[in-house]
Amino acid sequence: MSFSALLGNDQLKRNLEASLGKNHISHFYLISGPVGSGKHTLARLLGAAILCQGRGKPCLGCGPCRKVMDGSHPDFITVDDPEKKTVTVDLIRDARADIYIQPNESDHKIYLFPRAQDMGLPGQNALLKVLEEPPKYGVFLLLTDNPDKLLPTVRSRCTELKLLPLSEDVLSRQLRADFPQAAEADISAAVERSGGFLGQARQLLEGGGAVPPQTEAFVRAFAARDALALVQTLVPMEKWKRDALQEILAAWLELTESALVSRSGLHAASPLARELSRMRSGPELHAAAQALRKARDYTAANVSPAAVCGYLAWALR
């Protein structure tokens, strides 16, 4: 099986297969790439390969491989608290202390840092203490979309694995398999807008799927310059809770910004964004995006939903 589950990046995969085949395992790997580039996929595959007990590492069939891939292996440990904006120094200190406890089931113990760029200087300095003298069984996988946020002393101790964009052919083929019902125009737009990264392309296509009826009504009304239909869409929303209103306003803003980008020459992955782009000019879309951004910010600042909807009915008329 090896690393074939990771699309593209053939040279990187060949290098990993060669080093693992010689049992050359680094204590520290820095896996870098934009959001949606496959960092988490590579981290899981690399962790499975290190702990694999089969042939063709990772075989993805042995017990350790399966446990790593489903997140249940006791020697594959994630260091993160998704509810916090940063990776706290306490989490890093806990991992640093735990690394000196022998592995439970395997010859190695792996620590995954999904948001290495969110470690502050105290956290990185705390990590440096173990990076300088790791136990022979310890492995750290640091994932980041911005390596420049890491201290040079941290980066210098890591084997960096940089993920590259996929070719248009590979990306298009995978998207057609993932979204068999998607129109070819949507696939092409997602490929063009994603920068060659599968995760971003998937997100664009998912965003172009089913949408709330209020969003469709907003697009139809605004595209047709139908002020009455726009008011009829907004009035029932005056009774919504702020969280729900903020969420749909963010979706409307994303659609409008996507339509504005489309006016500049790039294709929009969403049919609704393409409709807005056809029916409204660049300056009109820019003004609408500004109004929606203000409405979203007003909602976050505890302005009443009724006042926010009233403002939009006037600003987008």
Side-chain angles (χ1 to χ4, degrees):
M1 177 65 69
S2 196
F3 289 88
S4 58
L6 177 71
L7 295 180
N9 296 280
D10 293 335
Q11 186 61 54
L12 181 150
K13 291 188 293 188
R14 283 194 294 268
N15 292 342
L16 278 176
E17 290 164 5
S19 63
L20 290 168
K22 297 175 183 177
N23 204 30
H24 292 168
I25 298 172
S26 175
H27 285 294
F28 315 110
Y29 292 95
L30 177 61
I31 301 177
S32 65
V35 173
S37 59
K39 296 188 296 294
H40 290 83
T41 298
L42 177 56
R44 290 282 174 186
L45 290 171
L46 180 54
I50 292 170
L51 302 180
C52 181
Q53 294 178 351
R55 302 177 65 180
K57 303 177 185 295
C59 71
L60 301 185
C62 68
C65 278
R66 292 197 300 271
K67 287 182 179 181
V68 170
M69 298 309 289
D70 68 21
S72 65
H73 200 297
D75 295 321
F76 189 88
I77 301 156
T78 299
V79 183
D80 195 17
D81 184 350
E83 294 183 0
K84 296 184 178 179
K85 291 183 178 180
T86 61
V87 182
T88 65
V89 68
D90 288 339
L91 277 176
I92 297 168
R93 286 172 178 161
D94 289 344
R96 189 181 66 190
D98 186 72
I99 190 69
Y100 294 104
I101 299 174
Q102 293 284 330
N104 290 275
E105 299 180 0
S106 305
D107 294 331
H108 290 88
K109 200 171 185 181
I110 302 171
Y111 291 83
L112 171 67
F113 289 73
R115 297 185 295 143
Q117 74 277 352
D118 292 333
M119 295 188 294
L121 290 180
Q124 293 187 52
N125 284 321
L127 186 61
L128 267 175
K129 293 183 179 181
V130 73
L131 296 183
E132 289 168 353
E133 293 185 32
K136 62 180 180 179
Y137 53 78
V139 177
F140 288 79
L141 307 180
L142 310 182
L143 276 57
T144 181
D145 52 23
N146 189 352
D148 291 335
K149 287 190 175 182
L150 298 179
L151 292 170
T153 46
V154 172
R155 291 183 64 178
S156 66
R157 287 168 170 79
C158 295
T159 298
E160 185 164 0
L161 307 175
K162 184 176 181 179
L163 290 161
L164 301 175
L166 303 177
S167 69
E168 289 189 10
D169 289 345
V170 170
L171 187 53
S172 298
R173 186 163 54 249
Q174 186 63 43
L175 291 176
R176 291 188 189 99
D178 292 344
F179 299 90
Q181 305 303 319
E184 192 61 31
D186 295 341
I187 296 286
S188 298
V191 170
E192 183 179 14
R193 296 280 305 280
S194 68
F197 296 108
L198 180 60
Q200 295 186 30
R202 282 174 171 161
Q203 188 174 26
L204 287 165
L205 287 173
E206 288 163 357
V211 295
Q214 294 85 0
T215 297
E216 288 198 19
F218 158 71
V219 171
R220 307 297 181 217
F222 183 64
R225 294 179 171 79
D226 190 334
L228 177 59
L230 184 62
V231 170
Q232 291 172 335
T233 300
L234 289 166
V235 166
M237 295 168 57
E238 292 180 350
K239 299 179 180 180
W240 284 21
K241 292 184 177 180
R242 286 189 181 87
D243 288 348
L245 181 60
Q246 193 170 9
E247 183 178 346
I248 202 164
L249 290 179
W252 291 7
L253 175 59
E254 184 178 351
L255 274 172
T256 307
E257 289 176 338
S258 180
L260 187 57
V261 170
S262 180
R263 293 286 303 186
S264 70
L266 290 176
H267 297 298
S270 165
L272 292 177
R274 292 200 294 271
E275 180 175 353
L276 283 176
S277 179
R278 286 195 303 270
M279 302 297 290
R280 287 286 201 163
S281 68
E284 288 172 331
L285 290 169
H286 183 263
Q290 286 184 313
L292 287 165
R293 196 174 293 109
K294 285 183 180 180
R296 181 199 59 189
D297 293 344
Y298 290 157
T299 306
N302 289 328
V303 176
S304 73
V308 171
C309 290
Y311 162 72
L312 281 177
W314 171 82
L316 298 177
R317 66 193 189 282

